[in-house]
Each structure stands twice: as structure tokens, then as C-alpha cells.
Amino acid sequence: MKLVHITIHTAAIRESVDFYREVLAFSVDASFTNTAGTPIVFLKSPAGEVRIELIDDPARAYSGSGLSLGFRTADLAAAWDAMEQRGLHPTAMVSPSPNVRFFFITDPNGVRIQIL
């Protein structure tokens, strides 16, 4: 079995699309309005291995906790600096073991994004 995409229902579709495009370098893979008139945008990571589906659905917008999406970067320190410069308030570096380091930022929907 293979993960096909992650769906996030959002009350902030434009801000969400901009976040994934500008901060994580995703590109729009597809954008359409379904038969109920709901805008849906699929974004894909630069290498195309990860897809996120954003559904403009304020009534069901994500408002939970305990969810995070993890993304690996080639230069963790540079990524932290870039997030700080963007005003995204990255957490301090977390290092639960000598070989693991990461930090978190939050997308416009409150989803925690782990950068490792």
C-alpha cells in the first residue's frame, strides 16, 4: 500500500496554498471545483513524492491537535533560519537522540510541520 495524499480541510485555502508553495516549495498539481461547488487544490512536493489535498471547507476545517507532517531538508540550520526570517516562529531544535534533530512550524490551519 502507498500513501497517495494527505487531505486538510481548511477555512484558509489561499493562505494554505501560499504556505505550501512558498515555504515548502510545493507546486500546484491540480485545482478544481467539485460538483458541490467546493474548491480543491492538490499540491505536490518538489520531487513529486508527497501530495497534499486542500479542501476549502470552513465547516470542517482542521482544528485538532496531535497531527504533524514531517519533511526532511538537506540543511536543517539553513531551513530554521529561513523559517525564522519568514516570521514563522520555528521551535527550538529538538534532539531526542544524538542522531536526530528537528524543529516545528505551524501551517495556516494549525497543522504542525516537522522539519528534520
Side-chain angles (χ1 to χ4, degrees), residues 41-82:
V41 179
F42 280 90
L43 298 115
K44 65 179 178 178
S45 62
E49 76 280 14
V50 176
R51 290 180 76 209
I52 294 176
E53 175 187 28
L54 298 171
I55 300 177
D56 189 11
D57 187 359
R60 294 180 54 207
Y62 176 80
S63 63
S65 64
L67 172 68
S68 68
L69 307 178
F71 298 96
R72 184 169 309 282
T73 183
D75 187 338
L76 189 61
W80 191 96
D81 288 341

Side-chain angles (χ1 to χ4, degrees), residues 89-103:
H89 311 290
T91 65
M93 289 287 182
V94 177
S95 185
S97 71
N99 299 325
V100 177
R101 292 182 64 219
F102 56 86
F103 65 88

